[in-house]
Amino acid sequence: MFTVIKERKFTHKVEVMVPVDGGFDPQTFDCQFRVVPADQAEEHDLRTGEGTVGLLKLAIVGFGEDLVDEVGKSLPYSDALRDAMLEDYPIRKGLIGTYLAAVTKARLGN
């Protein structure tokens, strides 16, 4: 059986490879996404930063409580926080990779 849902949302753990001296520090946080309708998603060229950011702005709807600032205080979701995170290339890469893996795997399984 398959359930048709008007706006499908899901939460996945996003891994960000944070550059540090001599290597990387893998860090994670939860992100809630919505499945962007195909006609809207296809308007974004994922080979460009602008296209990737445009799709992610449509897809991201929230962050988990495990997203914290430098002193460990939980950061509530806001469009301004999302936009600031999308300007950080390692975060952007982690977000788009997680989103595409989720929707691609879902498509292949159906």
Side-chain angles (χ1 to χ4, degrees):
M1 178 184 334
F2 181 82
T3 304
V4 175
I5 299 173
K6 188 172 186 173
E7 184 170 271
R8 190 173 303 277
K9 294 180 183 177
F10 61 93
T11 300
H12 278 217
K13 189 158 295 294
V14 175
E15 182 176 58
V16 178
M17 297 301 288
V18 178
V20 295
D21 292 341
F24 299 92
D25 177 21
Q27 297 181 24
T28 62
F29 65 95
D30 289 333
C31 183
Q32 184 181 36
F33 299 95
R34 75 178 187 97
V35 176
V36 177
D39 62 335
Q40 293 177 31
E42 290 168 359
E43 293 176 2
H44 299 278
D45 183 353
L46 299 183
R47 297 172 297 176
T48 68
E50 181 180 355
T52 300
V53 168
L55 178 61
L56 287 170
K57 283 184 176 185
L58 292 174
I60 296 170
V61 295
F63 297 127
E65 293 180 8
D66 57 345
L67 184 65
V68 297
D69 65 11
E70 298 91 356
V71 295
K73 182 180 174 194
S74 184
L75 294 170
Y77 177 82
S78 69
D79 289 347
L81 175 60
R82 177 205 63 204
D83 293 351
M85 291 177 67
L86 292 175
E87 289 299 315
D88 186 309
Y89 187 73
I91 298 172
R92 184 190 308 172
K93 184 176 180 194
L95 285 164
I96 196 66
T98 300
Y99 177 76
L100 292 176
V103 298
T104 301
K105 191 168 280 193
R107 270 194 223 131
L108 292 175
N110 288 333

